[in-house]
Coordinates of all heavy atoms in Angstrom, one line a residue:
Chain E
Y6 N -17.9 -2.6 -16.1 CA -18.7 -3.8 -16.4 C -18.4 -4.9 -15.4 O -19.3 -5.7 -14.9 CB -18.5 -4.4 -17.8 CG -17.2 -5.1 -18.1 CD1 -17.2 -6.5 -17.9 CD2 -16.1 -4.4 -18.4 CE1 -16.0 -7.2 -18.1 CE2 -14.9 -5.1 -18.6 CZ -14.8 -6.5 -18.5 OH -13.7 -7.1 -18.7
Q7 N -17.2 -5.0 -14.9 CA -16.8 -6.0 -13.9 C -17.4 -5.6 -12.6 O -17.9 -6.4 -11.8 CB -15.3 -6.0 -13.7 CG -14.5 -6.5 -15.0 CD -13.0 -6.4 -14.8 OE1 -12.5 -5.4 -14.3 NE2 -12.3 -7.4 -15.4
G8 N -17.4 -4.3 -12.3 CA -18.0 -3.8 -11.0 C -19.5 -4.1 -11.0 O -20.0 -4.5 -10.0
K9 N -20.2 -3.9 -12.1 CA -21.6 -4.2 -12.2 C -21.9 -5.7 -12.0 O -22.8 -6.1 -11.3 CB -22.2 -3.7 -13.5 CG -22.4 -2.2 -13.5 CD -23.1 -1.7 -14.7 CE -23.4 -0.2 -14.5 NZ -23.7 0.5 -15.7
Q10 N -21.0 -6.5 -12.6 CA -21.2 -8.0 -12.5 C -20.9 -8.3 -11.0 O -21.5 -9.2 -10.4 CB -20.2 -8.7 -13.4 CG -20.7 -8.6 -14.9 CD -19.6 -9.0 -15.9 OE1 -18.5 -9.2 -15.5 NE2 -20.0 -9.1 -17.1
Y11 N -19.9 -7.7 -10.4 CA -19.6 -7.9 -9.0 C -20.8 -7.5 -8.1 O -21.2 -8.2 -7.2 CB -18.3 -7.2 -8.6 CG -17.6 -7.9 -7.4 CD1 -17.1 -9.2 -7.6 CD2 -17.4 -7.2 -6.2 CE1 -16.4 -9.8 -6.6 CE2 -16.7 -7.8 -5.2 CZ -16.2 -9.1 -5.4 OH -15.5 -9.8 -4.3
F12 N -21.3 -6.3 -8.4 CA -22.5 -5.9 -7.6 C -23.7 -6.9 -7.7 O -24.3 -7.2 -6.8 CB -23.0 -4.6 -8.2 CG -22.3 -3.3 -7.7 CD1 -21.3 -3.4 -6.8 CD2 -22.7 -2.1 -8.1 CE1 -20.6 -2.3 -6.3 CE2 -22.1 -0.9 -7.7 CZ -21.0 -1.0 -6.8
A13 N -23.9 -7.4 -9.0 CA -25.0 -8.4 -9.2 C -24.8 -9.6 -8.3 O -25.8 -10.2 -7.8 CB -25.0 -8.7 -10.7
R14 N -23.6 -10.0 -8.1 CA -23.3 -11.2 -7.2 C -23.9 -11.0 -5.8 O -24.2 -11.9 -5.1 CB -21.8 -11.5 -7.0 CG -21.1 -11.8 -8.2 CD -19.6 -12.0 -7.8 NE -19.4 -13.3 -7.3 CZ -19.0 -14.3 -7.9 NH1 -18.7 -14.2 -9.2 NH2 -18.8 -15.5 -7.3
Y15 N -24.0 -9.7 -5.4 CA -24.5 -9.4 -4.0 C -25.9 -8.9 -4.1 O -26.4 -8.2 -3.1 CB -23.5 -8.4 -3.4 CG -22.2 -9.0 -3.1 CD1 -21.2 -9.0 -4.0 CD2 -22.0 -9.7 -1.9 CE1 -20.0 -9.7 -3.8 CE2 -20.8 -10.4 -1.6 CZ -19.8 -10.3 -2.6 OH -18.6 -11.0 -2.3
G16 N -26.6 -9.1 -5.2 CA -28.0 -8.7 -5.3 C -28.3 -7.2 -5.5 O -29.4 -6.8 -5.3
I17 N -27.2 -6.5 -5.8 CA -27.4 -5.0 -6.0 C -28.0 -4.8 -7.4 O -27.5 -5.3 -8.4 CB -26.1 -4.3 -5.9 CG1 -25.6 -4.4 -4.4 CG2 -26.3 -2.8 -6.2 CD1 -24.1 -4.1 -4.3
P18 N -29.2 -4.1 -7.5 CA -29.8 -4.0 -8.8 C -28.9 -3.1 -9.8 O -28.5 -2.0 -9.4 CB -31.1 -3.3 -8.5 CG -31.0 -2.7 -7.2 CD -29.9 -3.5 -6.4
V19 N -28.7 -3.7 -11.0 CA -27.9 -2.9 -12.0 C -28.8 -3.1 -13.3 O -29.6 -4.0 -13.4 CB -26.5 -3.5 -12.2 CG1 -25.6 -3.2 -11.1 CG2 -26.5 -5.0 -12.5
S20 N -28.5 -2.2 -14.3 CA -29.2 -2.3 -15.6 C -28.8 -3.6 -16.3 O -27.7 -4.0 -16.3 CB -28.8 -1.1 -16.5 OG -29.1 0.1 -15.8
P21 N -29.8 -4.2 -17.0 CA -29.4 -5.4 -17.8 C -28.5 -5.0 -18.9 O -28.7 -4.0 -19.6 CB -30.8 -5.9 -18.4 CG -31.7 -4.7 -18.2 CD -31.2 -3.9 -17.1
G22 N -27.4 -5.8 -19.2 CA -26.5 -5.4 -20.2 C -25.5 -6.5 -20.4 O -25.5 -7.6 -19.8
G23 N -24.5 -6.3 -21.3 CA -23.5 -7.3 -21.5 C -22.2 -6.6 -22.1 O -22.2 -5.5 -22.5
V24 N -21.2 -7.5 -22.2 CA -19.9 -7.0 -22.7 C -19.8 -7.3 -24.2 O -20.3 -8.3 -24.7 CB -18.8 -7.8 -21.9 CG1 -17.5 -7.7 -22.6 CG2 -18.8 -7.4 -20.5
A25 N -19.1 -6.4 -24.9 CA -18.9 -6.6 -26.4 C -17.5 -6.1 -26.7 O -17.0 -5.0 -26.3 CB -19.9 -5.8 -27.2
D26 N -16.8 -7.0 -27.5 CA -15.4 -6.6 -28.0 C -15.5 -6.3 -29.5 O -14.4 -5.9 -30.0 CB -14.5 -7.8 -27.7 CG -14.2 -8.0 -26.3 OD1 -14.6 -7.1 -25.5 OD2 -13.7 -9.1 -25.9
T27 N -16.6 -6.5 -30.1 CA -16.7 -6.2 -31.6 C -18.1 -5.5 -31.8 O -19.0 -5.6 -30.9 CB -16.7 -7.4 -32.4 OG1 -17.9 -8.2 -32.1 CG2 -15.5 -8.3 -32.2
A28 N -18.3 -4.9 -32.9 CA -19.5 -4.2 -33.2 C -20.7 -5.3 -33.3 O -21.8 -5.0 -32.9 CB -19.4 -3.5 -34.6
D29 N -20.4 -6.4 -33.9 CA -21.4 -7.5 -34.0 C -21.9 -7.9 -32.6 O -23.1 -8.1 -32.3 CB -20.8 -8.7 -34.7 CG -20.7 -8.5 -36.2 OD1 -21.3 -7.6 -36.7 OD2 -20.0 -9.3 -36.8
E30 N -20.9 -8.1 -31.7 CA -21.3 -8.5 -30.3 C -22.1 -7.4 -29.7 O -23.0 -7.6 -28.9 CB -20.0 -8.7 -29.5 CG -19.3 -10.1 -29.8 CD -18.0 -10.2 -29.1 OE1 -17.7 -9.5 -28.1 OE2 -17.2 -11.1 -29.5
A31 N -21.7 -6.1 -30.0 CA -22.5 -5.0 -29.4 C -23.9 -5.0 -29.8 O -24.8 -4.8 -29.0 CB -21.8 -3.7 -29.8
V32 N -24.2 -5.3 -31.1 CA -25.5 -5.3 -31.6 C -26.3 -6.5 -30.9 O -27.4 -6.3 -30.5 CB -25.5 -5.5 -33.1 CG1 -27.0 -5.8 -33.6 CG2 -25.0 -4.2 -33.8
A33 N -25.6 -7.6 -30.8 CA -26.3 -8.8 -30.2 C -26.7 -8.5 -28.7 O -27.8 -8.8 -28.3 CB -25.4 -10.0 -30.2
E34 N -25.7 -7.8 -28.0 CA -26.0 -7.5 -26.6 C -27.1 -6.4 -26.5 O -28.0 -6.5 -25.6 CB -24.8 -6.9 -25.9 CG -23.7 -8.0 -25.6 CD -24.2 -9.1 -24.7 OE1 -25.2 -8.9 -23.9 OE2 -23.6 -10.2 -24.7
A35 N -27.2 -5.5 -27.5 CA -28.2 -4.5 -27.5 C -29.6 -5.1 -27.7 O -30.6 -4.8 -27.1 CB -27.9 -3.4 -28.5
D36 N -29.6 -6.1 -28.7 CA -30.9 -6.8 -28.9 C -31.4 -7.4 -27.7 O -32.6 -7.4 -27.4 CB -30.7 -7.8 -30.1 CG -30.5 -7.2 -31.4 OD1 -30.8 -6.0 -31.6 OD2 -30.1 -7.9 -32.4
R37 N -30.5 -8.0 -26.9 CA -30.8 -8.7 -25.7 C -31.3 -7.8 -24.6 O -32.2 -8.1 -23.9 CB -29.6 -9.6 -25.2 CG -30.0 -10.7 -24.3 CD -28.7 -11.6 -24.1 NE -28.2 -12.1 -25.4 CZ -26.9 -12.4 -25.6 NH1 -26.0 -12.2 -24.6 NH2 -26.5 -12.8 -26.7
A38 N -30.6 -6.6 -24.5 CA -30.9 -5.7 -23.4 C -32.2 -4.9 -23.6 O -32.9 -4.6 -22.7 CB -29.7 -4.7 -23.2

Side-chain angles (χ1 to χ4, degrees):
Chain E
Y6 77 93
Q7 294 174 324
K9 283 184 170 163
Q10 290 166 348
Y11 207 60
F12 278 2
R14 298 178 79 95
Y15 292 89
I17 297 161
V19 292
S20 306
V24 166
D26 293 345
T27 64
D29 285 344
E30 286 174 14
V32 171
E34 287 300 337
D36 288 347
R37 200 169 304 149

